[in-house]
Amino acid sequence: MLANNFLDHFSHFMTEYENLKTDQHVIDGFNTAEVHTIVTIGKNKNISLHELASKRKISTSAASQLTSKLESRGIIKKQRLESNTKKSALYLTNEGQAIFEKHQEQQKYLENNLQNIVNELSDEDRNLVIKLLDDIEGSWNSLPWRKESMKGDK
C-alpha cells in the first residue's frame, strides 16, 4: 500500500513538473517557445539560426519561423556577418533584453526556492533523495524498448 501511495505522489509530482515546464516563465504576450528562443539568443551572443535550432533541439524551419515572428515584434534583430554575408547573427533588441532579464529573474527565484527546500534537509536525507532520483533515472534508462540514443539524454 505504501508503494502505491508513493507512486501516486510521484505521478502527481511528474504531472506538476510537466505543467511547470510550460508555465514557469509567464511573460505577457510570449509563449514558452518564444521565451526559450529569446533566452537562447540572450545567452549566446550573435548566434546563427542553425546554432539556435541545434541548441533548442528544433528544426531550422521552426527556428526560422520563431525568429521571424520575434523580429517582426522588435524583440530580436538579424544582422548579416561581415565575414560571411550568407550568414546572419541573431541578437536581442532592448525590448528582447528586458524579456531575457525578466526570465533570468524568474529562473533565479525558482532556483532559490528549490535551494531553500533542499537546505532544510539533513545531509543524510539529501543523499537519500539523490540516490532515489539516480535509481529512478537508471530504471528509465534501462527500459528495453527505449532507443539507445535516448538513454542518458539530459
Side-chain angles (χ1 to χ4, degrees):
M1 191 55 95
L2 285 175
N4 286 341
N5 190 29
F6 173 80
L7 291 176
D8 289 344
H9 275 81
F10 186 72
S11 178
H12 177 74
F13 173 83
M14 293 301 297
T15 299
E16 289 300 312
Y17 180 75
E18 285 299 315
N19 292 339
L20 181 65
K21 283 177 20 180
T22 59
D23 62 10
Q24 67 178 318
H25 301 294
V26 177
I27 299 176
D28 288 338
F30 296 93
N31 64 39
T32 303
E34 292 166 339
V35 171
H36 288 166
T37 299
I38 293 165
V39 169
T40 303
I41 295 169
K43 287 182 174 180
N44 301 275
K45 306 297 180 215
N46 297 320
I47 189 172
S48 72
L49 185 67
H50 180 72
E51 292 167 328
L52 174 67
S54 177
K55 286 188 180 294
R56 293 272 339 276
K57 297 182 180 176
I58 59 176
S59 69
T60 304
S61 174
S64 179
Q65 290 175 13
L66 278 164
T67 56
S68 292
K69 184 176 179 182
L70 292 171
E71 185 177 31
S72 72
R73 294 175 68 183
I75 304 302
I76 67 166
K77 287 269 190 192
K78 296 177 189 174
Q79 185 173 0
R80 295 268 180 215
L81 296 176
E82 290 178 19
S83 61
N84 182 350
T85 57
K86 292 181 180 181
K87 278 191 152 185
S88 293
L90 304 169
Y91 65 93
L92 299 178
T93 63
N94 289 339
E95 188 177 349
Q97 186 65 33
I99 293 165
F100 173 72
E101 288 170 8
K102 184 171 185 176
H103 170 275
Q104 296 304 91
E105 288 171 17
Q106 291 175 345
Q107 186 66 33
K108 187 162 185 65
Y109 180 87
L110 287 167
E111 288 172 6
N112 286 341
N113 277 351
L114 183 58
Q115 188 63 53
N116 289 337
I117 292 167
V118 171
N119 287 344
E120 293 292 318
L121 298 173
S122 67
D123 288 345
E124 184 179 342
D125 287 346
R126 207 175 3 258
N127 289 334
L128 185 61
V129 169
I130 290 169
K131 182 185 179 328
L132 175 65
L133 293 174
D134 287 346
D135 289 350
I136 290 170
E137 183 179 357
S139 76
W140 291 342
N141 287 335
S142 66
L143 293 172
W145 57 85
R146 232 176 140 199
K147 290 182 183 178
E148 283 299 315
S149 64
M150 298 294 292
K151 292 182 180 182
D153 271 355
K154 290 186 179 186

